[in-house]
Amino acid sequence: LRVAVIGGGLAGLSCGKYLADAGHIPLVLEARDVLGGKVSAWQDEDGDWIETGLHIFFGAYPNMMNLFKELDIEDRLQWKKHAMIFAMPDKPGEFSRFDFPSWLPAPLNAFVAIVGNSDMLTWPEKIKFGLALLPMIVAGQDYINKQDELSVKEWMQKNGVPD
């Protein structure tokens, strides 16, 4: 069966791969001259690699990791240090960072990142944030899936976490 796949981002490319694995003939159609969608990269005329930087993925995404393993490319991934950097609202031009240790799985690494930040959160705020993360550890993915309808800000407000 010939199947048209619209879009050459991660979803479209994955769809094409799995269609081919199932014996179909996929035709992936992409409007741009670069595949990869929000995680695309290309070489400029000097040979430097340019990343769009519009999206990221984490090692906690099992479907992506399985796909990379099936493609035998997991050894080619270039993992970046997991950190979140925020502009300080009351201090223009100053930034604060939350460093998530790679040796600790999510969401436990978030606890370390929160405790390690001394610029944005007071100790009572850190405790509130930590308590709000506990259901993720206890209920796991089921809890996370039930939060899909919330923005991060709404989740924080729902759990009494200061924004």
Side-chain angles (χ1 to χ4, degrees), residues 11-150:
L13 293 172
S14 298
C15 183
K17 182 237 187 276
Y18 290 116
L19 284 166
D21 288 352
H24 303 291
I25 303 170
L27 173 63
V28 178
L29 303 170
E30 171 58 46
R32 300 182 327 148
D33 60 353
V34 176
L35 295 174
K38 292 183 178 181
V39 294
S40 62
W42 63 93
Q43 279 186 298
D44 66 12
E45 53 276 350
D46 295 330
D48 297 320
W49 281 97
I50 309 297
E51 296 182 25
T52 57
L54 299 175
H55 189 70
I56 58 174
F57 64 88
F58 300 100
Y61 295 171
N63 293 338
M64 285 301 305
M65 298 309 295
N66 289 337
L67 176 62
F68 295 143
K69 187 172 186 144
E70 289 173 23
L71 295 171
D72 196 26
I73 62 170
E74 70 268 40
D75 62 328
R76 295 171 51 189
L77 297 176
Q78 297 177 4
W79 294 104
K80 309 284 187 204
K81 184 174 181 179
H82 184 179
M84 297 174 71
I85 301 171
F86 294 90
M88 298 288 288
D90 298 332
K91 299 178 182 175
E94 291 188 32
F95 300 90
S96 180
R97 66 184 290 135
F98 291 81
D99 292 302
F100 295 74
S102 60
W103 50 268
L104 198 57
L108 297 175
N109 61 355
F111 282 109
V112 174
I114 291 164
V115 169
N117 179 286
S118 58
D119 301 322
M120 292 187 76
L121 300 172
T122 64
W123 273 103
E125 291 170 334
K126 290 177 186 187
I127 291 168
K128 276 187 175 181
F129 210 150
L131 289 173
L133 292 174
L134 282 177
M136 290 184 200
I137 295 170
V138 174
Q141 193 63 43
D142 286 338
Y143 171 83
I144 294 167
N145 291 343
K146 291 176 183 169
Q147 309 311 304
D148 272 352
E149 76 280 354
L150 300 175

